[in-house]
Amino acid sequence: MSAPVLYLMICGAGPADHIDRMVKLAQADGWDVWCIASPSAVEHFLDLDALEALSGHSVRTGHQRAGQPALPKAAAVIVAPATYNTINKWAAGIADTYVLTQLAELTGLGVPIAVLPFVNTALANNRVFHRSVAELRESGVTVLFGEGGFVPHPPRTGGKVMDSYPWQAALDAVKHSV
């Protein structure tokens, strides 16, 4: 029996610099990890060659091109780090990047999805963010925001919370879905 496929959606925020931690945790837990990255994650945070070597698969950064193999069917999805922008656009139904298009489709298909935000307290205090989190939860998405998940940090202190970013919480959230 082959390992279940986990899509790891990577957005452009500080923890993306440490995405190898999530990949290694998931692989140790028996997942076949396929990474899909936002343009901002690719531009500012990721070493695509290193990530491809670690996961064993090319990192998908855009729509499938002619002749390019399709992604295998996902058993579950983790969005980490999930930015303020991605969470709000996804909840509003905006699909203007490959990551957002995939998230819209996967939500509609009912694939188990866990979201691990990375936002500061100022962003987290916006009403629109709370509405977006509620909307995603109502759509069946597990948003790991607050106690037991991601707890926001003060603005301009994100670098101090990298070692405590709760990667394992996201993995635990999808572990029981397959």
Side-chain angles (χ1 to χ4, degrees):
M1 186 170 132
S2 60
V5 171
L6 175 69
Y7 287 1
L8 177 54
M9 305 289 195
I10 309 163
C11 302
D17 268 338
H18 308 283
I19 201 65
D20 60 307
R21 296 175 187 177
M22 181 77 252
V23 173
K24 290 174 184 174
L25 282 171
Q27 288 173 331
D29 206 38
W31 293 93
D32 182 12
V33 181
W34 290 74
C35 298
I36 302 169
S38 74
S40 181
V42 171
E43 182 179 349
H44 300 290
F45 296 98
L46 299 179
D47 177 338
L48 294 181
D49 292 335
L51 190 52
E52 288 175 8
L54 179 60
S55 69
H57 309 292
S58 61
V59 177
R60 186 64 63 93
T61 59
H63 294 279
Q64 181 178 336
R65 294 190 172 113
Q68 185 179 23
L71 292 170
K73 184 178 177 182
V77 178
I78 290 176
V79 186
T83 60
Y84 176 84
N85 193 44
T86 294
I87 289 168
N88 287 322
K89 284 184 167 186
W90 179 15
I94 298 169
D96 62 354
T97 66
Y98 183 67
V99 166
L100 285 165
T101 299
Q102 287 300 302
L103 288 172
E105 288 181 357
L106 293 160
T107 303
L109 289 170
V111 174
I113 302 173
V115 179
L116 192 56
F118 189 77
V119 294
N120 65 39
T121 52
L123 294 173
N125 284 336
N126 282 291
R127 287 179 52 210
V128 69
F129 183 75
H130 287 276
R131 285 194 309 263
S132 295
V133 168
E135 179 62 37
L136 291 175
R137 286 176 173 161
E138 287 175 33
S139 297
V141 174
T142 302
V143 183
L144 301 163
F145 178 70
E147 291 304 317
F150 177 75
V151 177
H153 52 276
R156 290 168 290 291
T157 64
K160 297 176 183 175
V161 299
M162 289 302 133
D163 288 337
S164 62
Y165 190 64
W167 299 107
Q168 187 66 49
L171 191 56
D172 290 346
V174 297
K175 184 183 299 191
H176 306 291
S177 63
V178 290

Coordinates of all heavy atoms in Angstrom, one line a residue, residues 1 3 51 54 87 95 151 153 176:
M1 N 0.8 -1.2 0.0 CA 0.0 0.0 0.0 C 0.9 1.2 0.0 O 1.8 1.3 0.7 CB -0.9 0.0 1.2 CG -1.9 1.1 1.3 SD -3.1 0.8 2.6 CE -3.1 2.4 3.3
A3 N 1.9 5.3 0.5 CA 1.6 6.3 1.5 C 0.5 7.3 1.1 O 0.4 7.6 -0.1 CB 2.9 7.1 1.8
L51 N 13.9 21.8 -1.4 CA 12.6 21.3 -1.1 C 12.2 20.1 -2.0 O 11.6 19.1 -1.5 CB 11.5 22.4 -1.2 CG 10.1 22.1 -0.7 CD1 10.2 21.6 0.7 CD2 9.3 23.4 -0.8
L54 N 14.2 17.1 -0.8 CA 13.6 16.6 0.5 C 12.3 15.9 0.3 O 12.1 14.8 0.8 CB 13.4 17.8 1.5 CG 12.8 17.4 2.8 CD1 13.7 16.4 3.6 CD2 12.6 18.7 3.6
I87 N -5.7 33.6 3.7 CA -6.9 33.2 4.5 C -8.1 34.1 4.1 O -9.2 33.6 3.8 CB -6.6 33.3 6.0 CG1 -5.7 32.2 6.4 CG2 -7.9 33.3 6.8 CD1 -5.1 32.3 7.8
A95 N -9.7 33.3 -6.2 CA -8.8 32.3 -6.6 C -7.9 32.9 -7.7 O -7.8 32.4 -8.8 CB -9.6 31.1 -7.2
V151 N -0.9 31.1 18.0 CA -1.3 32.2 18.8 C -0.5 33.4 18.2 O 0.7 33.3 18.2 CB -1.0 32.0 20.3 CG1 -1.3 33.3 21.1 CG2 -1.8 30.8 20.8
H153 N 1.5 36.8 17.5 CA 2.6 37.5 18.1 C 2.5 39.0 17.8 O 1.9 39.4 16.9 CB 4.0 37.0 17.6 CG 4.0 37.1 16.1 ND1 3.5 36.1 15.3 CD2 4.5 38.0 15.2 CE1 3.7 36.4 14.0 NE2 4.3 37.5 14.0
H176 N -5.9 12.1 11.6 CA -7.1 11.2 11.8 C -8.1 11.3 10.7 O -9.2 10.7 10.8 CB -7.7 11.6 13.2 CG -6.7 11.5 14.3 ND1 -6.1 10.4 14.7 CD2 -6.1 12.5 15.0 CE1 -5.2 10.6 15.7 NE2 -5.2 11.9 15.9

